Amino acid sequence: MTTQELVDQIWKKKSFLCIGLDVDLNKVPSYLLETEDPIFEFNKKIIDATHHLAVAYKPNTAFYEAYGLKGWKSLEKTIQYLNTNHPEIFTIADAKRGDIGNTSAMYAKAFFEDLAFDSVTVAPYMGKDSIEPFLSFKGKHTIMLALTSNQGAFDFQTKTIGGIELYKKVLETSKEWQNSKNLMYVVGATKAEFIGEIRKIVPNSFLLVPGVGAQGGNLQDVCKYGINDQIGLLINSSRGIIYASKESDFDVVAAEKAKELQQQMEEILKAQS
Amino acid sequence: MTTQELVDQIWKKKSFLCIGLDVDLNKVPSYLLETEDPIFEFNKKIIDATHHLAVAYKPNTAFYEAYGLKGWKSLEKTIQYLNTNHPEIFTIADAKRGDIGNTSAMYAKAFFEDLAFDSVTVAPYMGKDSIEPFLSFKGKHTIMLALTSNQGAFDFQTKTIGGIELYKKVLETSKEWQNSKNLMYVVGATKAEFIGEIRKIVPNSFLLVPGVGAQGGNLQDVCKYGINDQIGLLINSSRGIIYASKESDFDVVAAEKAKELQQQMEEILKAQS
């Protein structure tokens, strides 16, 4: 999917919401556990109820790998369901991968070819040759961690390196990599005040912003600092939407929560147009 | 597995060799492609031929994920084969994972419980709360990237942060984390001269050292700077062993290559005892 197609979808749906599909079987309604594939059934119900309100879905691979082979099968069925029924939706494998070049190329094959995701998240610690194999895929997007939403972000990311913070160094450096136009960045909503600084370095890139909702980030603050001419933001909510109810009405309540966020986004988009 | 059990195995086998099981179907003998599970069959033959020469095996998850559900199944069969037939061998899931706390806990469950690996590699960028969920597993080891073997290591890892290089900051900081005794570190053999510096910071920790062989690292140099009272080194070779022959004798030739390294290690161990 091209960036322009993502932007078009944002304006059409009046939403820049991404829904995190992080299924924990301890948190789903018990009746689902009796189905053959409870993770996929949960995702299917969430997608059916919210696809008109969201422009992206983001399964975090950890929640699938934790269930082994069955979990990987659920992930495969989920991305196939999305690609078949909602090909306009931007799909993100939240995998935070990264390895030496020939190995990163295998991860890129896994997520871009085998599973056919539009994008994958990656970690920057191993540098240029760990990321460029992902960037070489046409029509695919690589979303690199810059400043994450957790407390541990202050351990290394905000430490000063050569006069600037590490996360800024990561942003600056990555702009020089081959096919860097295919980069997006992860920036936590819990650090909204940093987003203005980030926008100075990558004015045109899309930012994937986790941490709105359960982790305490604020949508208005993120947009104030982060929005650009193409909107340039995907706001992710996982637990705040998918576990808003743990009863059999979870999909209905998830849609209500997604609608609340979409309506706030519609207001913000109105002010932009 | 306890660290002492690993050390005992090193002295018993006179080896601190780790073999990387990074199976690329473009590089295996063609007759294997006709079997039902060529990746597992390849691994089984390598393990059968080399298990007396190696103390550890390290499948890199990228090479399995690239083949989707079938690949994950091959990974599962490989670890089961090792745990059933060679329970004394130290197993490493080279996965380079790391995420916010509740998500890292799911990865820990995936590799320590579901797949029953002894250890997993992790990336430090997200800091303390992304790693501590792994460290809380008793009898399991978490191997964190410090200084990697690739060129991209110079992009961020060797940059100076608060007066010391980032990889040293990572080492220093991690020592303060809960259950840090369960930490080991990845240090590339291609940067052997750095290993002396690393030993000053983590004198007692095991180091997993990739990059001997195909990537150009030198065993003697690594040992000169890195060996400690418990040996404290696992030297990994992947391509240099498993693809030494691409014909049907690949397992025999792999054993020869492994034996060469083991004999060099035996000499080094003699000098230590």
Side-chain angles (χ1 to χ4, degrees):
Chain A
M1 183 183 297
T2 66
T3 305
Q4 189 56 49
E5 286 168 332
L6 173 60
V7 175
D8 291 346
Q9 196 197 164
I10 288 173
W11 285 109
K12 190 173 163 199
K13 287 185 176 168
K14 300 181 175 62
S15 168
F16 40 102
L17 177 62
C18 172
I19 297 179
L21 298 173
D22 304 347
V23 189
D24 180 340
L25 290 184
N26 295 316
K27 293 183 182 165
V28 307
S30 56
Y31 86 90
L32 280 177
L33 300 179
E34 290 152 30
T35 63
E36 201 191 315
D37 187 343
I39 296 178
F40 173 68
E41 292 302 328
F42 181 86
N43 285 344
K44 185 174 173 301
K45 280 200 162 287
I46 292 284
I47 293 164
D48 289 348
T50 60
H51 65 86
H52 56 297
L53 302 166
V55 294
Y57 286 93
K58 180 178 76 64
N60 186 306
T61 53
F63 290 82
Y64 299 83
E65 293 178 20
Y67 298 104
L69 207 57
K70 280 187 70 170
W72 201 263
K73 179 85 189 160
S74 304
L75 178 62
E76 203 173 89
K77 283 166 72 177
T78 300
I79 182 67
Q80 281 169 358
Y81 187 79
L82 281 166
N83 282 341
T84 306
N85 296 284
H86 306 288
E88 80 288 0
I89 281 179
F90 186 71
T91 54
I92 304 168
D94 194 1
K96 301 186 175 69
R97 299 297 199 263
D99 209 306
I100 62 172
N102 74 316
T103 308
S104 274
M106 295 303 264
Y107 279 129
K109 180 172 161 0
F111 292 106
F112 291 154
E113 290 183 352
D114 187 71
L115 290 170
F117 275 93
D118 293 311
S119 68
V120 63
T121 60
V122 298
Y125 192 72
M126 294 181 68
K128 172 176 167 162
D129 54 316
S130 72
I131 308 296
E132 282 190 342
F134 293 97
L135 298 179
S136 67
F137 282 74
K138 213 179 159 180
K140 301 289 184 179
H141 304 263
T142 304
I143 311 178
M144 190 161 73
L145 299 182
L147 185 63
T148 57
S149 59
N150 63 324
Q151 187 59 29
F154 297 108
D155 285 337
F156 309 119
Q157 297 167 28
T158 57
K159 295 282 188 282
T160 302
I161 186 167
I164 58 169
E165 293 94 330
L166 176 58
Y167 76 92
K168 291 185 185 171
K169 175 80 181 165
V170 164
L171 290 164
E172 290 277 15
T173 304
S174 70
K175 288 167 71 177
E176 305 303 317
W177 296 344
Q178 200 161 15
N179 297 308
S180 62
K181 67 179 190 311
N182 294 335
L183 276 170
M184 300 180 174
Y185 300 94
V186 174
V187 179
T190 46
K191 300 174 184 64
E193 68 279 15
F194 292 75
I195 295 181
E197 296 290 303
I198 288 167
R199 268 289 171 237
K200 288 183 199 161
I201 304 171
V202 287
N204 301 318
S205 303
F206 257 82
L207 307 179
L208 170 63
V209 185
V212 164
Q215 294 181 60
N218 178 289
L219 176 65
Q220 276 70 27
D221 285 350
V222 169
C223 292
K224 178 178 152 191
Y225 294 108
I227 221 157
N228 69 10
D229 287 351
Q230 289 195 306
I231 306 309
L233 293 172
L234 290 172
I235 305 289
N236 184 74
S237 178
S238 302
R239 289 171 276 176
I241 291 177
I242 68 175
Y243 300 131
S245 162
K246 290 171 191 175
E247 308 303 321
S248 60
D249 65 347
F250 70 96
D251 54 338
V252 178
V253 180
E256 286 167 11
K257 292 289 172 187
K259 181 84 185 167
E260 282 174 25
L261 280 167
Q262 182 273 325
Q263 289 189 324
Q264 292 177 49
M265 290 173 180
E266 186 166 345
E267 289 304 310
I268 291 165
L269 289 172
K270 266 188 204 157
Q272 287 290 311
S273 60
Chain B
M1 184 183 296
T2 66
T3 305
Q4 190 55 50
E5 286 168 332
L6 173 59
V7 175
D8 292 347
Q9 196 197 165
I10 288 174
W11 285 108
K12 191 174 162 197
K13 288 185 174 167
K14 299 180 176 63
S15 168
F16 40 101
L17 178 61
C18 173
I19 297 180
L21 299 173
D22 303 347
V23 189
D24 181 340
L25 290 184
N26 295 316
K27 294 183 182 165
V28 307
S30 56
Y31 86 90
L32 279 178
L33 300 179
E34 289 152 31
T35 63
E36 199 191 316
D37 187 344
I39 296 179
F40 173 68
E41 293 303 328
F42 181 87
N43 284 344
K44 184 173 173 301
K45 281 200 162 288
I46 292 283
I47 294 164
D48 288 349
T50 60
H51 65 87
H52 55 299
L53 302 165
V55 294
Y57 287 93
K58 181 178 75 66
N60 186 307
T61 53
F63 290 81
Y64 300 82
E65 293 177 20
Y67 298 104
L69 207 57
K70 280 187 74 170
W72 200 263
K73 179 84 188 161
S74 304
L75 178 63
E76 203 173 89
K77 282 166 73 178
T78 301
I79 182 67
Q80 281 168 359
Y81 187 78
L82 281 166
N83 283 341
T84 304
N85 296 285
H86 306 288
E88 80 288 0
I89 281 179
F90 187 71
T91 54
I92 303 168
D94 194 0
K96 300 187 176 69
R97 300 297 198 263
D99 209 306
I100 62 172
N102 74 315
T103 308
S104 274
M106 296 303 264
Y107 278 129
K109 179 174 165 350
F111 292 105
F112 292 154
E113 291 183 352
D114 186 70
L115 291 170
F117 276 92
D118 293 313
S119 67
V120 63
T121 61
V122 297
Y125 192 73
M126 293 181 69
K128 174 176 168 164
D129 54 317
S130 72
I131 308 296
E132 282 190 342
F134 292 96
L135 298 178
S136 67
F137 282 73
K138 213 178 158 180
K140 301 289 184 180
H141 304 264
T142 303
I143 311 178
M144 190 162 72
L145 299 181
L147 185 62
T148 57
S149 58
N150 63 324
Q151 186 60 29
F154 297 109
D155 285 337
F156 309 120
Q157 296 166 28
T158 57
K159 294 282 188 280
T160 302
I161 185 168
I164 59 170
E165 292 95 328
L166 176 59
Y167 75 93
K168 291 185 183 171
K169 175 80 179 167
V170 164
L171 290 164
E172 291 276 14
T173 305
S174 70
K175 288 166 71 177
E176 306 303 318
W177 296 344
Q178 200 161 15
N179 296 309
S180 61
K181 67 178 188 315
N182 295 335
L183 276 171
M184 300 180 174
Y185 300 94
V186 174
V187 179
T190 47
K191 299 174 185 66
E193 68 279 16
F194 292 77
I195 295 182
E197 297 289 303
I198 288 168
R199 268 290 171 235
K200 289 183 199 160
I201 305 172
V202 287
N204 302 316
S205 303
F206 257 83
L207 307 180
L208 171 63
V209 185
V212 165
Q215 294 180 60
N218 178 289
L219 177 64
Q220 277 71 26
D221 286 350
V222 169
C223 291
K224 178 177 153 193
Y225 295 108
I227 220 157
N228 69 9
D229 288 350
Q230 289 196 306
I231 307 310
L233 294 172
L234 290 171
I235 306 289
N236 185 75
S237 178
S238 301
R239 288 171 276 175
I241 291 177
I242 67 174
Y243 300 130
S245 162
K246 290 173 191 175
E247 308 302 323
S248 61
D249 65 347
F250 71 96
D251 54 339
V252 178
V253 180
E256 287 168 10
K257 292 290 171 188
K259 181 83 184 166
E260 282 174 25
L261 280 168
Q262 181 273 324
Q263 288 189 325
Q264 293 178 50
M265 290 174 182
E266 187 167 342
E267 289 305 309
I268 292 164
L269 288 172
K270 266 188 203 157
Q272 288 290 310
S273 59

